[in-house]
């Protein structure tokens, strides 16, 4: 019996036999139907995100509340979901604005408390609310997100990878990191301000500045976790370098008896006058 000694068909011949182009990607996972590796992809994602602001029935508020809770007790679990979204929806950034809607709602509630503590009128309270939402949270958040988006893509991204950090994800990281300081500084602190923190005692400065230390430490740590889960980033621990600087600043404020909480109240009060 004679066996054929003809060679096995090459990859290009196999593709021709199957009626496929030899230039087809070899990835075992198909690309999403609407995938585009250009700026239009980001534009479409942003449009879909903004369009859902008026569709409350499509927002998952229960899951957003779960995220807010775990940002306090186990922030690492929150970012596991971002990895899952990357695998299933091909993006790290949220496609559901429920978290931002709830965050703005929290700002509205805490602003009422601040208006009461600062003895603001109705018009001043409204101006204060607009400042807190659109300047302190959104505008400053956009600045911080843009800065970290640029730094991580320019200096921390693995050069062997052509995938960069999404700006929308950088903004989501800011929103995540912003929530615990919001609760600490704009809610819990209000209950102790008049009877304790506003007094001219060292204990008042210690308590007020310790709340600030906890708030800033939360922001830095959650920001670090946000970028640490991105697989194509390297040396993200450099973000944690700011923690010793914050601790040093905290010690200096205690030595010179600078009450940061009182200064915040003065700043808020004179900003709306």
């Amino acid at each position: 019996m004679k066996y054929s000694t003809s060679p096995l068909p090459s990859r290009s011949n196999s593709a021709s036999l199957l009626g496929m182009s030899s230039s087809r990607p070899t990835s075992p996972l198909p690309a999403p139907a609407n995938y585009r590796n250009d700026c239009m992809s980001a534009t479409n994602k942003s449009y879909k995100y903004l369009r859902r602001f008026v569709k409350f029935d499509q927002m998952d508020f229960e899951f957003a509340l779960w995220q807010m809770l775990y940002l306090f007790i186990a922030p690492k679990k929150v970012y596991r979901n971002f990895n899952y979204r990357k695998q299933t929806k091909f993006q790290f950034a949220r496609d559901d604005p429920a978290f931002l809607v709830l965050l703005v709602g929290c700002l509205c509630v805490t602003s009422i408390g601040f208006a009461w503590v600062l003895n603001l009128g109705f018009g001043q309270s409204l101006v204060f609310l607009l400042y807190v939402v659109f300047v302190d949270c959104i505008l400053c958040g956009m600045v911080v997100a843009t800065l970290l988006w640029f730094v991580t893509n320019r200096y921390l991204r693995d050069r062997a990878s052509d995938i960069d950090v999404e700006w929308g994800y950088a903004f989501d990281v800011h929103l995540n990191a912003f929530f615990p300081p919001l609760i600490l500084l704009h809610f819990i602190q209000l209950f102790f301000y008049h009877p304790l923190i506003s007094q001219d005692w060292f204990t008042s400065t210690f308590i007020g500045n310790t709340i600030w230390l906890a708030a800033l430490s939360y922001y830095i740590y959650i920001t670090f976790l946000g970028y640490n889960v991105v697989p194509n980033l390297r040396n993200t621990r450099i973000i944690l370098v700011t923690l010793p600087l914050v601790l040093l600043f905290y010690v200096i404020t205690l030595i010179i008896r600078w009450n940061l909480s009182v200064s915040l109240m003065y700043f808020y009060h004179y900003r709306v006058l």
Side-chain angles (χ1 to χ4, degrees):
M1 180 181 295
K2 295 183 179 180
Y3 296 94
S4 174
T5 58
S6 61
L8 292 174
S10 63
R11 182 185 299 269
S12 59
N13 291 335
S14 299
S16 300
L17 292 173
L18 294 175
M20 296 184 296
S21 171
S22 59
S23 61
R24 182 176 178 177
T26 59
S27 173
L29 294 178
N34 59 348
Y35 177 75
R36 291 181 61 188
N37 191 20
D38 56 19
C39 62
M40 288 302 295
S41 176
T43 302
N44 290 335
K45 292 175 183 177
S46 301
Y47 172 72
K48 292 179 181 179
Y49 181 86
L50 295 173
R51 187 176 60 182
R52 294 186 66 178
F53 267 106
V54 296
K55 298 181 179 180
F56 288 93
D57 57 327
Q58 296 183 8
M59 297 185 193
D60 192 350
F61 290 107
E62 181 178 354
F63 181 66
L65 286 171
W66 176 90
Q67 288 181 315
M68 288 180 167
L69 173 63
Y70 273 83
L71 283 172
F72 273 102
I73 61 178
K76 286 184 178 180
K77 291 186 177 181
V78 176
Y79 286 109
R80 290 177 188 173
N81 175 260
F82 283 84
N83 267 325
Y84 176 75
R85 184 183 298 110
K86 179 64 175 179
Q87 297 171 8
T88 58
K89 298 185 178 181
F90 303 93
Q91 65 179 56
F92 271 111
R94 289 186 176 98
D95 58 349
D96 184 355
F99 188 92
L100 179 57
V101 171
L102 290 180
L103 184 62
V104 172
C106 291
L107 286 169
C108 293
V109 173
T110 58
S111 295
I112 296 175
F114 256 100
W116 176 75
V117 170
L118 296 174
N119 295 319
L120 300 179
F122 177 78
Q124 293 175 328
S125 301
L126 182 59
V127 173
F128 176 79
L129 173 61
L130 295 176
Y131 262 115
V132 170
V133 173
F134 293 102
V135 178
D136 297 345
C137 178
I138 296 180
L139 180 59
C140 291
M142 292 174 67
V143 173
V144 172
T146 301
L147 176 63
L148 291 176
W149 169 78
F150 173 79
V151 170
T152 52
N153 283 319
R154 182 69 178 271
Y155 301 106
L156 302 183
R157 183 166 62 91
D158 187 356
R159 295 306 176 187
S161 173
D162 59 350
I163 302 176
D164 60 356
V165 177
E166 308 160 28
W167 187 91
Y169 178 69
F171 187 68
D172 279 338
V173 171
H174 161 73
L175 294 181
N176 291 341
F178 185 83
F179 178 70
L182 166 66
I183 299 302
L184 289 173
L185 297 175
H186 281 225
F187 182 70
I188 294 177
Q189 180 180 224
L190 296 181
F191 293 98
F192 304 96
Y193 183 75
H194 278 311
L196 183 59
I197 296 177
S198 64
Q199 305 301 321
D200 191 20
W201 307 327
F202 176 79
T203 304
S204 304
T205 303
F206 174 78
I207 294 176
N209 291 7
T210 301
I211 294 177
W212 271 90
L213 175 64
L216 293 176
S217 299
Y218 256 120
Y219 189 93
I220 294 170
Y221 178 64
I222 293 177
T223 299
F224 158 73
L225 291 179
Y227 291 99
N228 191 53
V229 300
V230 180
N232 58 309
L233 294 183
R234 300 291 181 266
N235 302 319
T236 54
R237 290 184 179 274
I238 195 173
I239 298 175
L240 297 177
V241 172
T242 53
L243 280 176
L245 299 178
V246 170
L247 181 60
L248 177 61
F249 177 73
Y250 167 75
V251 173
I252 292 175
T253 59
L254 293 181
I255 293 175
I256 64 177
R257 299 191 65 173
W258 176 17
N259 194 320
L260 297 176
S261 297
V262 172
S263 298
L264 174 69
M265 292 297 181
Y266 279 126
F267 170 73
Y268 277 159
H269 186 268
Y270 286 107
R271 188 168 67 171
V272 299
L273 291 181

